[in-house]
Amino acid sequence: MDPSLSLADKLASKTASSNSLDSSSKSSSGGGIENGVLRDTPFAYLDGEEDQDQKNDVTYVCPYRGPVFGALTITNYRLYFRSLPLRDQELPVVVDVPLGVIARVEKIGGATSRGENSYGIEIFCKDMRNLRFAHKQQNHSRRTVFEKLQANAFPLSYSGRLFAFAHAAARATGAAGATAAGGWDGWAVYEPLAELRRLGVPNDMWRATKLNESYGICDSYPAVWAVPKAASDDFLRRVAQFRSRCRLPVLSWMNPRTQATITRCSQPLVGVSGKRNADDETYLSYIMEANAQSDKLTIMDARPSANAIANKAKGGGYESEDAYKNVEINFLDIHNIHVMRESLRKVKEACYPTTDDSKWQTAIDSTLWLKHIRCVLAGAVRIVDKVETMSTSVVVHCSDGWDRTAQLTALSMLLLDPHYRTVRGFEVLIEKEWLSFGHKFQQRIGHGDNKHSDADRSPVFLQFIDSVWQVSQQFSNAFEFNEHFLITIVDHLYSCRFGTFLCNTEAERVAEDLKHKTTSLWTHINSSLDQYLNPLFPSFTHGAELVLRPIASVRAVRLWKGLYCRWNPGLCALQHGCQRTRELLSKQDQLFKHVNELRLKSNNRSNNMQTTTRLASPMH
C-alpha cells in the first residue's frame, strides 16, 4: 500500500496490513518495475503479470468517501484503481484486488441511464467487498473493462489458465525462483511418510501403505495411507466398496502415549434397508483393537442426526450400534455446505458496506455464523476429550468425508498436538487433512470460473480458519503464528497466485504437475516469516500447554472483525496488526539479547568467584 495514504484510506483499502496480497507489489509513486523496465503504473508488477486494459476516466463509487475520479488498470492478476487528487496534499484512494477474489461482475445502467454514476460495473468479491465503478457512456470504456475482467477473473470459463501458472513460469526464468525463501521449496513442507514417522508409524499395530499410489482405489484420497496392520491390501479394497466414494477409514493422528487414534472416512452405504458389511465391521474392530487402552470405539458423525437418517434414502447413512460391536455413535449437529454458504452471505450483508450500530449484535446473531463456528469447536473438543481423557480411539465422518470431517480432524489435531500450532506444523496440517484428503477447493471456492451461483460453493475451509482464530484468542501464547498469518492464508485461498489451493484432489494436482508448474504459498510465507510470528509464543521456554481445551460456548465465540470487517473503516481495528507484530518481535529480540548478556555476566562472575576461592584456600 502507498505509504502516503491517510488513515481513512488505509482502513478502506487495507491491502497490505490485512492480506499480504501486495507483499511483493507495494504501491509506489515512482511506478512499477519488472525485469528492470519501468512501467507507468503506481505498483510493482509480479512476475508474469501483464497489462490487459487501462482507463483514465473511471469513477470509483466508494461507500465511505463517495465518488472519486481516477485511473483503472487491469492486469492478468489484479484490478488496480488510484484516484487523481483534485487538490494539493490530497491523498489518493487506492483499490488493489486480485482477480481471483472476484466472484462475479455485472453491468449497471444502460443507454437510457441519466443519474450521476448510474452507468458502470459492479464487482462482487469473495472477501466480503463489493466494488462499483462508474463510466462515461460517451467514452465506451465500460465494454472493454467488462470483457477484460470476465476473461481474466474467470479464465477457466474462457479456455484460459489461472495466473499461478504464468507467475511460476516467469519466476523460473528469473532470479526470484532460485532464491525464494532462501532456497526453501514450500512443496516440500509435507512428506507423508516423514509425518507418519513423527506420529510413530509404522509400529506393532499400524502400517503405512502405498496401495492407492495410482489413485485407483479412491481417487479423492492421498497416495499414502496409514492403516491397521491386521488389514491386508485385498481386505482394504473390499472395505472401500462399502464406504461412500470409497473413502474407507485411515489414520489421521495417533497419541504417542496411549496409542488412541483419530481416523477419518465417509459414511457407510447402509441405505434404507440397513445393509451390513462384515469386512467394514471387522475393520472398525481392528481400529479399536489397535488401542490397548480402551475396549470401545467412538464414531463422531459431524451431521445432525436427522440429516444422517435422511441420507439413508440416498444409499448412505450411519453405523448401527447393533451391527458394530463396542461402538458408540455421536452426532455433532454441524450443518451442510448450503446452510454455511447462506450464513456467510448474511454476515457480508451485516458487515459491508454500512452497519446499523443499534442492531449490530442482532444482525450478527441472526446470521447464525457464530453458532455454526461454536458447533465446529464443540465437536473438536468432544473428540479431544475422548482421545486424551478417555484414551478412546475416534472415527470421524460426515457424508463424503471431505468437508465437515476435515474441519473436525484438523481442529482436534491442532488442539491435541503442539506441533500443528507452529508455522510449519500448521502448513503440514493443511496439506495433510485438507489438501491430500481431497477437500474440493476448486468447487468450494470456484477458482477461475464464473459459476457464482454454483451449489458446490461453500466457506468450509474459511470456517476452519475462523475456528483456529477463535482458539488463538483463548490461548494467546499457544501459537507460533499470528492473525496476519491466518488472514494471508484466507486471501491466497482466493487469489490464484499460488498453486497450493488449486484443484480438488491430490490426484488432480499430480496430473496438473502443480509442484513444478506453480509456486507454493508456503514458499512465499516461509521467505518472510517475521511478519507471521506471534511475539507471545514461547521461544526459549516451554510454557505452551500440551493439549488445548477451548471454551466452546456462544459467550466465548465472537465475530472475527479483523477478517470480515477489515474493509469497513467504522468496524476494523485502528492498529496496524502486522506493524505492531514487527515492533513486538523487535522488542522481544532486544529482551532476549539482554537476558543472554546478563546470563553471561552472571556466569563470568560465578567463575571468577570460584577461581578466587580456590586461590585463597589454605593448603592442607
Side-chain angles (χ1 to χ4, degrees):
M1 182 181 293
D2 191 323
S4 67
L5 293 182
S6 67
L7 179 59
D9 294 323
K10 289 178 180 178
L11 294 174
S13 59
K14 204 175 164 189
T15 53
S17 62
S18 58
N19 58 28
S20 85
L21 293 172
D22 68 341
S23 60
S24 298
S25 57
K26 302 289 185 182
S27 298
S28 170
S29 58
I33 299 177
E34 182 185 28
N35 297 328
V37 178
L38 186 66
R39 294 195 180 195
D40 188 23
T41 52
F43 62 89
Y45 284 66
L46 297 174
D47 292 300
E49 188 173 6
E50 298 177 351
D51 283 334
Q52 302 297 309
D53 197 14
Q54 288 187 340
K55 294 290 184 288
N56 295 318
D57 55 353
V58 176
T59 298
Y60 168 50
V61 185
C62 178
Y64 308 111
R65 292 185 53 174
V68 287
F69 185 77
L72 180 69
T73 300
I74 298 173
T75 72
N76 56 339
Y77 173 68
R78 80 183 79 208
L79 174 151
Y80 186 91
F81 173 87
R82 185 183 177 91
S83 67
L84 303 175
L86 300 177
R87 296 178 296 273
D88 291 342
Q89 307 304 316
E90 184 180 21
L91 297 171
V93 173
V94 172
V95 178
D96 191 347
V97 184
L99 300 184
V101 173
I102 296 176
R104 76 180 192 269
V105 183
E106 293 184 356
K107 294 178 180 178
I108 53 174
T112 59
S113 299
R114 292 292 179 265
E116 186 178 8
N117 301 321
S118 61
Y119 180 86
I121 289 174
E122 188 159 13
I123 298 170
F124 300 85
C125 299
K126 300 170 185 175
D127 64 359
M128 313 298 286
R129 283 180 288 181
N130 293 341
L131 305 171
R132 186 169 178 174
F133 295 94
H135 297 255
K136 296 178 181 178
Q137 292 188 44
Q138 62 270 28
N139 294 347
H140 304 290
S141 61
R142 183 178 74 167
R143 185 184 65 186
T144 56
V145 169
F146 180 81
E147 291 173 351
K148 293 297 183 182
L149 283 176
Q150 288 283 345
N152 290 280
F154 314 119
L156 299 187
S157 296
Y158 293 88
S159 302
R161 301 207 81 185
L162 297 169
F163 176 73
F165 293 95
H167 181 50
R171 284 170 60 87
T173 60
T179 59
W184 178 270
D185 179 11
W187 291 116
V189 162
Y190 173 56
E191 203 291 302
L193 292 175
E195 175 63 9
L196 287 175
R197 285 194 295 270
R198 190 188 71 83
L199 295 174
V201 177
N203 56 34
D204 291 342
M205 304 304 293
W206 293 85
R207 68 183 178 95
T209 177
K210 293 185 178 180
L211 180 63
N212 198 44
E213 192 167 21
S214 62
Y215 308 103
I217 295 179
C218 179
D219 60 6
S220 61
Y221 257 19
V224 177
W225 305 343
V227 295
K229 205 168 187 178
S232 68
D233 286 355
D234 287 339
F235 181 80
L236 293 173
R237 289 187 179 93
R238 296 198 302 273
V239 172
Q241 297 304 309
F242 192 66
R243 291 282 166 171
S244 176
R245 315 283 182 172
C246 295
R247 295 171 65 92
L248 74 164
V250 298
L251 182 72
S252 282
W253 188 80
M254 176 185 294
N255 187 315
R257 178 174 55 85
T258 66
Q259 304 299 297
T261 60
I262 298 174
T263 53
R264 60 179 295 170
C265 59
S266 61
Q267 64 184 340
L269 301 178
V270 296
V272 177
S273 62
K275 286 185 293 185
R276 294 182 58 171
N277 183 284
D279 291 328
D280 193 72
E281 293 168 19
T282 301
Y283 186 62
L284 289 195
S285 71
Y286 287 163
I287 294 174
M288 179 188 67
E289 292 164 2
N291 173 17
Q293 302 292 321
S294 177
D295 58 0
K296 287 188 176 297
L297 181 69
T298 297
I299 296 175
M300 294 290 186
D301 190 323
R303 302 167 293 184
S305 58
N307 295 32
I309 293 170
N311 265 273
K312 286 187 174 183
K314 302 176 184 178
Y318 58 93
E319 296 83 355
S320 165
E321 292 182 359
D322 293 331
Y324 292 82
K325 302 303 179 185
N326 300 314
V327 166
E328 65 169 2
I329 185 163
N330 298 274
F331 296 100
L332 301 180
D333 296 321
I334 302 173
H335 286 274
N336 62 30
I337 61 172
H338 313 295
V339 173
M340 303 310 181
R341 180 178 60 250
E342 177 62 15
S343 180
L344 183 64
R345 185 191 65 78
K346 292 179 179 178
V347 172
K348 180 175 180 176
E349 287 183 352
C351 296
Y352 189 92
T354 58
T355 59
D356 183 345
D357 289 345
S358 64
K359 300 178 180 178
W360 163 252
Q361 195 58 53
T362 301
I364 294 301
D365 290 344
S366 67
T367 69
L368 300 181
W369 183 257
L370 299 184
K371 178 185 176 182
H372 298 318
I373 295 295
R374 188 205 69 79
C375 284
V376 174
L377 279 170
V381 170
R382 290 180 68 177
I383 294 171
V384 168
D385 185 58
K386 286 291 182 182
V387 172
E388 179 66 18
T389 306
M390 309 299 292
S391 297
T392 301
S393 292
V394 175
V395 176
V396 183
H397 71 69
C398 47
S399 296
D400 290 321
W402 50 44
D403 289 318
R404 290 166 283 191
T405 298
Q407 290 178 330
L408 291 169
T409 58
L411 191 58
S412 58
M413 289 161 65
L414 180 94
L415 299 178
L416 286 162
D417 193 335
H419 174 65
Y420 298 125
R421 303 195 289 267
T422 66
V423 171
R424 299 284 169 82
F426 193 72
E427 293 167 355
V428 167
L429 184 65
I430 291 175
E431 288 281 344
K432 181 177 184 292
E433 291 302 302
W434 289 91
L435 293 159
S436 77
F437 275 100
H439 175 67
K440 302 194 293 183
F441 280 100
Q442 175 65 42
Q443 291 187 21
R444 296 291 178 258
I445 307 302
H447 294 309
D449 75 54
N450 58 6
K451 303 171 186 174
H452 60 85
S453 59
D454 191 333
D456 279 329
R457 302 275 181 97
S458 190
V460 177
F461 182 72
L462 175 63
Q463 281 188 312
F464 164 69
I465 297 294
D466 191 329
S467 299
V468 173
W469 180 82
Q470 301 288 343
V471 178
S472 74
Q473 298 307 291
Q474 296 188 33
F475 301 92
S476 57
N477 70 333
F479 293 81
E480 185 185 26
F481 49 83
N482 58 22
E483 178 185 47
H484 181 55
F485 175 75
L486 296 176
I487 292 176
T488 298
I489 292 173
V490 171
D491 283 328
H492 287 298
L493 170 68
Y494 308 129
S495 75
C496 295
R497 176 178 166 185
F498 303 102
T500 301
F501 297 117
L502 304 187
C503 301
N504 290 316
T505 65
E506 181 178 291
E508 290 179 9
R509 293 183 190 97
V510 170
E512 290 282 347
D513 197 18
L514 294 189
K515 286 190 176 183
H516 299 103
K517 293 182 178 179
T518 67
T519 303
S520 168
L521 170 59
W522 316 133
T523 300
H524 170 71
I525 286 178
N526 296 340
S527 67
S528 53
L529 272 180
D530 285 353
Q531 62 181 303
Y532 303 112
L533 296 179
N534 173 17
L536 300 179
F537 183 74
S539 52
F540 62 89
T541 62
H542 300 283
E545 295 184 52
L546 186 63
V547 177
L548 305 182
R549 291 182 172 86
I551 300 171
S553 74
V554 175
R555 294 187 302 275
V557 176
R558 53 197 176 96
L559 187 72
W560 186 2
K561 290 185 179 181
L563 179 68
Y564 304 117
C565 304
R566 55 185 160 153
W567 313 115
N568 187 332
L571 291 174
C572 65
L574 294 177
Q575 176 64 50
H576 189 312
C578 188
Q579 179 60 33
R580 179 61 176 158
T581 295
R582 291 193 184 100
E583 293 171 359
L584 289 172
L585 286 170
S586 176
K587 183 64 175 178
Q588 184 185 62
D589 287 340
Q590 294 175 18
L591 292 174
F592 284 167
K593 290 178 182 177
H594 185 57
V595 168
N596 289 332
E597 290 173 358
L598 292 175
R599 284 176 174 170
L600 183 61
K601 289 180 180 179
S602 177
N603 291 336
N604 289 339
R605 188 180 299 113
S606 177
N607 291 336
N608 290 337
M609 290 180 63
Q610 291 177 10
T611 301
T612 302
T613 301
R614 285 196 297 270
L615 291 174
S617 297
M619 300 293 291
H620 294 287

